[in-house]
Amino acid sequence: MNSLEKIDKNNIPQHIAIIMDGNGRWAKKQGQERLYGHSIGVEAVRESINACLSMGVKYLTLYTFSTENWNRPKDEVDGIMNLLVQTISNELELLNSHQTGLIVIGDEEGLPDSCRDELNEAKEYLSKNNKLYLVLALNYSARWEIKNAIKNISEQVKDGKINSKEITDELISNELCTKNIPDPELIIRTSGEHRISNFLLWQLAYSELYFTEVLWPDFKEEDLYLAVTNFQSRERRFGQTSEQII
Ligand code: FPP
């Protein structure tokens, strides 16, 4: 029995989020430039999409570029943006044939024009697809997102559109970039780092966290199946006791 067959099809996370980490260290180990690590990281993106399609996961969110990543050397930032444009363009037909839609979360206005244009075209082209949604977090940070939500909600209160007593979890969720996307049940970080790094801080409230030593370019379908198998072994209590949820 392979790892996919061992997975309980009745307990598949609807939404998996991944912090793809370790491209730079992987490249260094190979005696290569960091950008080479990012380019091989695209292969791990393909593997993850295939695994999600095989399991029937509905949303796969990838932390692709954070608001803090602009502080990297210019060559690396430009290289990641070019890689993104190239990859979206190269993979468009394949994504379409797999009925995969594309969603971007983050400050798209701050992205280079070429990148924004490519993303907009791809979103439009894939807009009828609903088997899997690939959610790319680009120029994203959770504090930026939460700050915007607070600004919008306070404006609505100031303008008398809502009363502050009407501020609920649901109302806040609806002001986030992930509006209409269920919270991730499982978040994975590769490369042995145990941090959340400003990713989906509101949405992760009850997510199961899974950390693996595997560097992102080495991440294979099999690694995602292992993560889901591990997820299925967890008891998700949402603040209740074990006895209550049996
Ligand atoms: C983190 O590794 C990786 C990134 C910040 C970039 C991820 C981008 C890609 C995989 C390329 C394109 C992606 C898509 C979705 C088409 P790191 O550089 O922080 O590694 P390190 O911690 O070892 O230095």
Side-chain angles (χ1 to χ4, degrees), residues 129-222:
N129 297 342
N130 60 6
K131 186 171 180 197
L132 168 69
Y133 292 97
L134 177 64
V135 184
L136 296 183
L138 281 167
N139 199 16
Y140 172 88
S141 80
R143 286 187 174 184
W144 164 84
E145 175 186 49
I146 292 170
K147 193 170 58 196
N148 279 341
I150 292 172
K151 282 183 193 165
N152 289 341
I153 293 170
S154 35
E155 284 295 317
Q156 291 171 44
V157 173
K158 193 181 81 183
D159 296 345
K161 289 182 184 146
I162 54 165
N163 183 301
S164 62
K165 292 196 177 64
E166 290 166 341
I167 301 175
T168 57
D169 284 11
E170 197 191 353
L171 186 121
I172 295 171
S173 293
N174 281 335
E175 290 295 337
L176 301 176
C177 305
T178 48
K179 180 181 174 177
N180 300 329
I181 302 178
D183 290 342
E185 293 97 322
L186 172 63
I187 169 155
I188 299 169
R189 183 171 190 147
T190 59
S191 89
E193 304 288 359
H194 294 185
R195 282 190 294 279
I196 295 301
S197 300
N198 215 348
F199 190 42
L200 302 176
L201 295 178
W202 174 269
Q203 298 87 337
L204 293 182
Y206 283 104
S207 304
E208 296 298 327
L209 313 184
Y210 179 85
F211 300 101
T212 168
E213 295 293 318
V214 176
L215 300 176
W216 181 248
D218 287 331
F219 195 83
K220 302 278 182 275
E221 279 188 48
E222 189 66 23

Side-chain angles (χ1 to χ4, degrees), residues 20-25 34 38 64 69 72 83-84 87 136:
M20 310 181 283
D21 196 11
N23 293 351
R25 275 163 286 164
R34 297 177 55 82
H38 297 315
T64 308
N69 285 149
R72 292 190 175 204
L83 185 61
L84 188 71
T87 306
L136 296 183

Side-chain angles (χ1 to χ4, degrees), residues 19-30:
I19 303 177
M20 310 181 283
D21 196 11
N23 293 351
R25 275 163 286 164
W26 184 90
K28 198 171 175 193
K29 273 192 178 174
Q30 319 280 321

